[in-house]
Amino acid sequence: MPELPTLHASLPRTAKTEAPKVAVASLVGTTIEYYDFAVYGTASALVLGPAFFPSGNPTLSTLAAFLTFAAAFLSRPLGVVLFGTIGDRLGRRRALVVSLLLMGVATVGVGLLPTYETAGLLAPVLLVTLRLLQGVSMGGEWGGAVLLAAEHAPPGRRALYASIPQAGPSLGFLLSTAVILPTMNLVGMEAFTDWAWRIPFLLSTVLVAVGLWVRTTVSESPVFTAKARTPEPTSSAPRFPLGAILREHPRRLLLGTGAALGGSAVYYLTIVYSLSYGPQELGIPRNTMLTAASIGAAAGIAITVPVARLSDRIGRRPLMLAGAVGCVVWAVPMYASLSSRDGLVITGAYTVGLMFLALMFSPVAAFLPELFPARLRYTGASAAFILANTLGGGFAPSVATWLNSHWESPLVLGFYTGGLCLLSLLCLLALPETRDHDFDV
């Protein structure tokens, strides 16, 4: 049989030149999804505990709010199954449009909910239900966004294009902060706690409308399109892609999950938990914590694309290993900076820590999809990343709250995070380099 040309070599010029547009479309959608998620995370750290879980003990109220934050992570695996099956069998773009629509409905719904004072036990039940729907949506978002961008990318630039939507989590957090901080300053903390916390949730209506318009204007992945047209049965996704992943690639799924575990803990402890812990336990002003986390996130965004471009040249593992080592070493000093209660010290520590995180998370957008074949790639990449987010990030605020109720020192956050980052380092050492993987097969 004669050798077939590679997929990208045979693509028409219009498909090749659409890659930047697809990457930007993926970034817009991911930013909106994580804006919605970040708004809830920030609100749970600041106001949702007393509003939906009133208690004489503020720690218990905050813990209950963080548990609803974790509830969305528990439903993410369902999103992996649902959207992974849609993405591998029916198309990447279709799965992304549905996931964004679901996230928008759930987020706006939170902004319209009655509080415990008005509806009693029905209020927290409805809140948890909407959080579960948010989690289902997030289960399909990340894998589809980075995959659509990566599969459109020209040869030698896969990590570069995949890293663009990878900036969405930090951009979403910055966007949420850009809405929450002015709202708090304009109406005051009392009014924000009373009713104005709803504004960031309701604004999601406009953002989701923009995101849906952008995503419906891009083309389907050329890799998926070519796979769908191939008559060989081995190119088709099975009816239950996750089952095939567990049968055929369990080791890569397990190690890929571990590789992203520590970075998830760093992200969520920094931009969710510390926003509550700093003001409540250490007396640090809320604006100081929000500013420190925002500047650190912006620094991480600034190096995301350069790091990805470098990984296209030297490989994924060297940069991810460097980021993992940096997070292991820096975890304790980063959270120890909270004891200083100095805004400049905290900002500097968070900036360094989130730049180490960018070394891990920028290449992972190409690294995880490259671990799996095209027919299972949406499910495989999503499952590894979402499991890491659930185990390393979703429960991190709740675990941290429990740890700090026994050991009243921010150092315990550093040891906890550093331990998870060490596990990621070990998993990365056990995985192969994937830069030269034939992505079209």
Side-chain angles (χ1 to χ4, degrees):
M1 180 179 291
E3 184 178 353
L4 295 175
T6 61
L7 174 62
H8 281 295
S10 60
L11 284 175
R13 181 174 299 275
T14 54
K16 293 180 181 179
T17 56
E18 193 178 9
K21 176 184 176 183
V22 172
V24 172
S26 296
L27 172 63
V28 170
T30 306
T31 300
I32 293 169
E33 291 253 14
Y34 275 91
Y35 164 84
D36 293 344
F37 222 69
V39 162
Y40 185 92
T42 304
S44 65
L46 299 178
V47 299
L48 292 188
F52 288 89
F53 306 96
S55 168
N57 187 329
T59 299
L60 290 179
S61 294
T62 301
L63 180 58
F66 280 146
L67 286 175
T68 64
F69 180 80
F73 287 82
L74 290 176
S75 61
R76 282 188 178 193
L78 177 60
V80 170
V81 174
L82 174 62
F83 291 107
T85 301
I86 295 173
D88 281 328
R89 291 183 60 83
L90 303 178
R92 320 313 197 191
R93 189 183 67 165
R94 186 176 302 183
L96 283 174
V97 169
V98 176
S99 72
L100 182 59
L101 182 61
L102 179 60
M103 174 62 82
V105 170
T107 303
V108 173
V110 172
L112 296 174
L113 282 181
T115 62
Y116 185 90
E117 183 180 359
T118 303
L121 288 176
L122 181 62
V125 169
L126 291 175
L127 179 64
V128 171
T129 301
L130 292 174
R131 283 296 292 162
L132 292 174
L133 291 178
Q134 281 189 322
V136 171
S137 170
M138 289 298 292
E141 170 60 29
W142 182 87
V146 300
L147 198 53
L148 194 65
E151 290 185 340
H152 273 90
R157 295 188 176 183
R158 192 183 302 150
L160 171 63
Y161 281 90
S163 73
I164 293 174
Q166 187 70 336
S170 293
L171 279 175
F173 169 70
L174 289 176
L175 184 59
S176 71
T177 303
V179 173
I180 290 173
L181 268 181
T183 304
M184 288 172 57
N185 292 333
L186 183 63
V187 303
M189 193 60 197
E190 183 177 351
F192 185 82
T193 303
D194 185 36
W195 60 270
W197 61 268
R198 300 176 183 275
I199 293 174
F201 289 97
L202 298 178
L203 282 178
S204 180
T205 305
V206 178
L207 298 175
V208 169
V210 173
L212 288 173
W213 175 76
V214 170
R215 282 195 168 172
T216 54
T217 61
V218 299
S219 64
E220 179 56 85
S221 157
V223 175
F224 176 84
T225 302
K227 176 176 71 69
R229 293 174 179 171
T230 303
E232 285 80 1
T234 55
S235 69
S236 301
R239 290 185 178 275
F240 187 50
L242 184 59
I245 290 287
L246 295 174
R247 288 194 307 272
E248 300 172 21
H249 307 282
R251 182 176 181 274
R252 289 202 168 189
L253 176 61
L254 182 63
L255 292 175
T257 299
L261 192 70
S264 296
V266 173
Y267 180 81
Y268 284 103
L269 285 178
T270 301
I271 72 162
V272 176
Y273 177 73
S274 66
L275 300 184
S276 170
Y277 174 75
Q280 290 186 5
E281 303 298 329
L282 301 176
I284 303 171
R286 297 183 190 278
N287 285 5
T288 297
M289 293 304 306
L290 283 170
T291 301
S294 298
I295 292 175
I301 292 172
I303 69 169
T304 292
V305 170
V307 167
R309 190 70 187 100
L310 185 59
S311 80
D312 278 328
R313 296 175 180 173
I314 68 173
R316 323 302 187 210
R317 288 176 79 248
L319 295 169
M320 294 177 68
L321 287 170
V325 171
C327 286
V328 170
V329 173
W330 192 248
V332 171
M334 179 167 65
Y335 294 112
S337 70
L338 296 174
S339 296
S340 72
R341 298 173 174 80
D342 186 299
L344 290 177
V345 173
I346 297 170
T347 300
Y350 273 27
T351 299
V352 173
L354 291 175
M355 290 177 76
F356 280 132
L357 174 63
L359 289 178
M360 295 178 65
F361 263 29
S362 179
V364 83
F367 182 69
L368 291 181
E370 288 166 347
L371 291 174
F372 302 98
R375 68 190 184 95
L376 303 172
R377 188 170 292 145
Y378 197 124
T379 301
S382 296
F385 189 78
I386 293 306
L387 284 174
N389 260 227
T390 301
L391 298 175
F395 291 100
S398 300
V399 172
T401 300
W402 181 83
L403 289 173
N404 280 123
S405 70
H406 290 76
W407 294 277
E408 296 180 359
S409 170
L411 291 177
V412 71
L413 303 179
F415 289 118
Y416 169 56
T417 308
L420 292 179
C421 290
L422 179 60
L423 179 60
S424 290
L425 176 62
L426 296 176
C427 290
L428 283 168
L429 290 172
L431 284 167
E433 176 57 62
T434 60
R435 180 188 58 169
D436 297 323
H437 173 72
D438 187 353
F439 211 49
D440 301 332
V441 176

